[in-house]
Amino acid sequence: MIKGNNENIFLSPTELRYENEYEKHSYALLNNTQSPVQDHTGKMTEILFLTSYPPRECGIATYSQDLIKALDNKFSNSLSLKVCALESGDTDYKYPDEVKYVLKTSLQESYNDLAININNDDCVNIVLIQHEFGFFRVQENAFLRFLSVLSKPVLIVFHTVLPHPDTSLKQQIGSIAEVCASVIVMTNNSAEILVNDYGVNDGKISVIAHGTHLVSHLGKSVLKKKYGLTGRKVLTTFGLLSSGKSIETTLKALPAIVKANPDVLFLVIGKTHPEVVKAEGEIYRKSLEEIIIQSEMTGYVKFVNSYLALPELLEYLQLTDIYLFTTRDPNQAVSGTFVYAMSCGCPIISTPIPHAKEVLTPDTGIIFDFGNSEQLASGVIRLLNDDQLRRSISTNILQKIVSSAWENSAVAHAILFENISEEQVTLQHNLPAIDIRHLRKMTTSTGIIQFSRISQPDPGSGYTLDDNARALVAVCMYYKLTLDKKIVFYIKKYLSFIKLCQQPAGNFLNYMSTDCTFTTQNQDVNLDDSNGRALWALGYLISERNLLPAVITDEAEAIFQKVIPAIEMIHSPRAMAFAIKGLYYHQMVTKSNGNHKLIKIFADRLVQMYRHESNKKWEWFESYLTYANSIMPEALLYAWLVTGLPVYRVIARSSFGFLLSKTFNKNGIEVISSKKWLLRGETAGSFGEQPIDVAYTVMTLSKFYDVFMDKEYRLKMETAFNWFLGTNRLHQIVYNPCTSGCYDGLEENHVNLNQGAESLVSYLMARITIEKYSRKPGIMCMKVPEDSGNSSKKKNKSPRGFN
């Protein structure tokens, strides 16, 4: 028998064992003079990129700059990114600070000098080479010797992989691959060619798709007005101009297209390639202009003869109705221009390069034969005459390529760096800035809208008490952190919505339509959980009464008191758990026997549920694990903090430990699937992970760590939050830094592109929760999953703590 709070509370033998383990753990902590979480600062890992680089105007230069920017944005506190710029001829560029070396690719001695410098440079850990045949054609042997004498691990990216090589080319590529620690290609087709045609060991090959830009997707009509294109159906192609682009294929198709669609305009964006200008001047561009004049298409074609800055280019692509890719080179493995168009959701009509054949299916685009203007015209007319088909293709292409976002490319490269490095690489995610742009966008004069279509709010989805209650918690947390007076507007907004949902009896309805009427769904589902969440939100707001205006906290108090008589009747375990949280926060500022009594009633019900369902192999409150699971152990922890009854603490820890054992694995955290609940004696579903469950786990781990100071809780909290940043089963970001929204979940092979209120607010709660633990502002650790990458040199890493 253990006494607590002047009552006799009996613990079962299992619970008593947990109580004894807790006492031992507490004694160890009290006698430990060191912090339970150690500081993990490490040496920066320097990656040296051999690549063409801006201001040189070249597709690979742009590619490398985008990749380096993405890596720097995510890992600047663990990776130092430097460049050796490749130059040909008598060029003399003024480079940015990250350029450390320059290689004159036409000079044999330049290769030898560079190899000596790199080998003697103690800062350089890994050399990454962007390979294109034209870079090293003048000094192929010097390049091979350079590779062979480098003493640092080399990673090479093949931008072009030619099929059916002759003996000389096969030997050359084989020699390059042999001395490199890893090989990157951008398509599965290229990987197959390397294995089948060149005999490269597939264990060395990683496929990392060409990165794509996250885009906020501004409206076409707004952008067309901005660029003077209102009323036009816009066909676009872009890139440094050369005959290989085969622009004439479109020009020859244009008369037929214009006849069917007189409002068409063909945009040709990009200046002539500098190397082409050197060799032949503007002969090709002039030949195109002659075709336009002869076919009387002058009013239907516009040249944008400049190298556009990225923001302007992305706007042109967003206003585009159809993107045309007409290259005549069947061996072009991948195209950056093609990828940029995909990132903007452009319906694409393309010649059958390997990249197009991998990405474009009937629901994502159209493929036509090289040089076939009739097929091109037919495809364009079909798409222009079917608005719904274009919209469908746009959505499908965005879903198809979301995994290739530059942020995901950065994660894939970083994992590869860790695998091939000869020294330990401590990868740390940079914490994204706390950003509420999407929250503002999703909020109307009524409240926060329930769903979105990709990143655009869907007003037709209406509102829910659930979302507005969680939003109220999130903005109160944000206000407590920042004291930003502007956020008070949103606190009032979400509180007003909760009040609007309250019924005369004190209880709440959940579902509201766009016109602010309650829907019939309120009669079809149990609303206990929604009522519990509302009490949590109200209690949390009231607990911040020292920071918030009295008029707000007084109104919350009135709503809170009105619901209390109705709340005791709830019996849903999660509803009771949310209610305990709300009552706990209220009790922090208003000591109340009524709060104490209700907390104990709900906690005792949870204890009885636990004792009824649990055994040695299933330490839980129900015979299944579903959603918002961590709320129940957290609620019992709050109940212990209020009442002092040890049984609540013991079951809180045992049940939470059981939950963690079911949701953490080599991939980090994998919360219970929304597609298939975990039933006792069965296996869990493998996909359908939702941000809300990860966020609740982060918040529960935070509270457990604050109370018990057990470093495992903190390490798991870091691991759980990193799920949003790419440390998950798919190695894909769930938080979108471009929109500041959060994808709606991890499906089997992709993220759900929609960024609704539940996911957004869940991420914000988790992000604000984690902020107080960062010893260096904006830094978090990344635990790399054990099965990451394709490198033959794999290392098993344990979780690391904050810096």
Side-chain angles (χ1 to χ4, degrees), residues 241-243 272-284:
L241 202 59
S242 69
S243 60
T272 304
H273 198 294
E275 298 300 320
V276 173
V277 173
K278 288 181 185 178
E280 61 184 44
E282 293 285 1
I283 292 176
Y284 181 62

Side-chain angles (χ1 to χ4, degrees), residues 470 533 536 578 628 630-631 692-700:
R470 284 186 288 254
R533 288 188 192 94
W536 166 37
F578 283 121
S630 68
I631 293 298
I692 189 170
D693 287 307
V694 178
Y696 282 153
T697 303
V698 169
M699 297 172 79
T700 302

Side-chain angles (χ1 to χ4, degrees), residues 179-413:
V179 298
C180 292
S182 185
V183 174
I184 293 177
V185 290
M186 299 182 199
T187 65
N188 293 316
N189 178 73
S190 292
E192 292 171 3
I193 292 172
L194 282 180
V195 173
N196 297 329
D197 292 8
Y198 291 87
V200 176
N201 181 355
D202 63 354
K204 273 194 173 185
I205 302 171
S206 294
V207 179
I208 302 178
H210 192 299
T212 55
H213 293 280
L214 295 175
V215 178
S216 57
H217 297 288
L218 304 172
K220 283 186 187 295
S221 59
V222 174
L223 290 172
K224 284 185 178 181
K225 182 178 180 181
K226 176 179 177 179
Y227 289 98
L229 300 174
T230 299
R232 305 300 294 266
K233 293 287 182 63
V234 179
L235 313 177
T236 300
T237 193
F238 90 93
L240 292 171
L241 202 59
S242 69
S243 60
K245 299 284 186 184
S246 194
I247 305 299
E248 62 273 15
T249 300
T250 302
L251 296 181
K252 292 175 183 177
L254 204 54
I257 297 170
V258 168
K259 183 177 180 180
N261 296 272
D263 54 354
V264 155
L265 178 70
F266 178 36
L267 287 179
V268 183
I269 301 174
K271 62 193 296 186
T272 304
H273 198 294
E275 298 300 320
V276 173
V277 173
K278 288 181 185 178
E280 61 184 44
E282 293 285 1
I283 292 176
Y284 181 62
R285 184 181 296 272
K286 290 177 181 178
S287 71
L288 298 177
E289 292 171 348
E290 289 177 5
I291 294 174
I292 294 167
I293 293 170
Q294 291 172 4
S295 59
E296 299 182 347
M297 290 288 107
T298 305
Y300 302 97
V301 182
K302 180 180 179 181
F303 286 95
V304 181
N305 188 8
S306 60
Y307 195 83
L308 297 182
L310 179 62
E312 187 177 4
L313 174 60
L314 293 178
E315 288 188 345
Y316 268 113
L317 291 174
Q318 287 177 79
L319 64 79
T320 294
D321 292 288
I322 303 174
Y323 185 80
L324 306 178
F325 186 78
T326 55
T327 183
R328 62 188 185 190
D329 181 3
N331 294 321
Q332 184 172 348
V334 69
S335 166
T337 64
F338 185 96
V339 166
Y340 276 48
M342 289 194 299
S343 70
C344 294
C346 295
I348 296 174
I349 300 179
S350 173
T351 48
I353 65 168
H355 192 189
K357 289 193 288 186
E358 283 193 14
V359 174
L360 297 185
T361 55
D363 63 343
T364 58
I366 295 174
I367 293 177
F368 73 101
D369 293 335
F370 293 104
N372 193 321
S373 297
E374 291 183 3
Q375 288 182 7
L376 175 58
S378 175
V380 169
I381 293 168
R382 176 189 168 205
L383 289 183
L384 288 181
N385 292 339
D386 193 334
D387 294 345
Q388 180 56 44
L389 177 59
R390 290 203 314 278
R391 284 193 293 268
S392 176
I393 287 176
S394 179
T395 299
N396 293 338
I397 199 73
L398 287 172
Q399 185 66 77
K400 187 100 171 184
I401 57 91
V402 64
S403 63
S404 64
W406 278 115
E407 289 76 5
N408 293 328
S409 180
V411 170
H413 279 84

Side-chain angles (χ1 to χ4, degrees), residues 1-5 7-11 15-16 19-20 23 644-647 649-650:
M1 190 190 334
I2 297 177
K3 293 184 178 182
N5 203 35
E7 298 184 44
N8 291 335
I9 302 295
F10 288 91
L11 298 178
E15 292 162 3
L16 186 61
E19 171 68 8
N20 292 335
E23 295 294 343
L645 297 178
V647 66
R649 182 192 68 232
V650 171

